[in-house]
Amino acid sequence: MYDQHRQDKLEKLELLKVYFALIRSVLEYCCPMWHNALPVKLSYSIERVQKRALRIMFPARHYQEALATPGCVSLHTRRMELCSKLFTKINKPEFRLRHLVPPTRSQAHGRSLRNKDRPSLISCKTERFKRIFFPAMCLYAHGI
């Protein structure tokens, strides 16, 4: 009985690795570029794919319980983490695309400000433009 439980657990972890490699990688392809502009309805549709996969692997668990499995978070949270990591990487001085990131507030104003290390906000005339990567990440850095 114990060996069967151990074998089931091993198979579920192997299935989880396959899901991460084959399915989640497709769901997250280029997500930093489209995540912020994604409509809520489509975000839920993408999340449903993960819910279904976890329901297959862990049929007795609720979605939130299955997410407690090591290495597993909601796709929305993961997309935000990937966006934040990319923005941090681009913001480093040695990165070639650094010129696309707006200057920090202290660089832009030359004054000592409380939020001196945060990037300046990009003025956006439309809501659609506000949701593309760089303006959205500047807003995210400011906690807006």
Side-chain angles (χ1 to χ4, degrees):
M1 185 75 173
Y2 177 73
D3 291 333
Q4 181 65 31
H5 181 270
R6 188 171 166 189
Q7 184 178 1
D8 288 344
K9 186 175 182 180
L10 181 64
E11 289 176 4
K12 288 178 183 181
L13 292 177
E14 293 299 318
L15 280 174
L16 200 58
K17 287 180 184 178
V18 169
Y19 164 74
F20 288 160
L22 299 178
I23 298 171
R24 190 172 76 175
S25 62
V26 172
L27 294 175
E28 294 176 342
Y29 180 71
C30 290
C31 74
M33 296 305 123
W34 53 261
H35 167 67
N36 294 303
L38 189 66
V40 175
K41 183 178 179 180
L42 291 178
S43 182
Y44 286 142
S45 295
I46 293 171
E47 197 74 36
R48 251 187 315 190
V49 174
Q50 179 162 295
K51 283 182 181 181
R52 180 69 179 135
L54 290 177
R55 195 177 317 129
I56 291 169
M57 289 179 259
F58 307 103
R61 293 186 185 176
H62 188 265
Y63 180 59
Q64 296 300 326
E65 294 172 358
L67 283 177
T69 306
C72 202
V73 294
S74 73
L75 291 176
H76 183 271
T77 303
R78 179 142 164 90
R79 287 192 308 263
M80 278 308 296
E81 289 171 0
L82 291 172
C83 289
S84 182
K85 282 181 186 177
L86 179 63
F87 189 70
T88 303
K89 184 177 179 181
I90 289 173
N91 212 4
K92 291 183 180 178
E94 66 273 3
F95 201 75
R96 290 188 331 207
L97 298 176
R98 173 69 178 98
H99 67 281
L100 297 174
V101 178
T104 62
R105 293 183 57 154
S106 62
Q107 291 170 341
H109 300 292
R111 297 188 176 111
S112 179
L113 303 169
R114 282 182 281 176
N115 301 322
K116 63 182 179 183
D117 295 332
R118 292 182 179 169
S120 299
L121 294 175
I122 298 172
S123 64
C124 304
K125 292 183 179 180
T126 64
E127 288 296 316
R128 185 176 186 182
F129 181 69
K130 193 184 284 187
R131 291 189 310 253
I132 66 171
F133 181 72
F134 285 108
M137 287 294 100
C138 291
L139 288 170
Y140 181 73
H142 282 273
I144 300 174

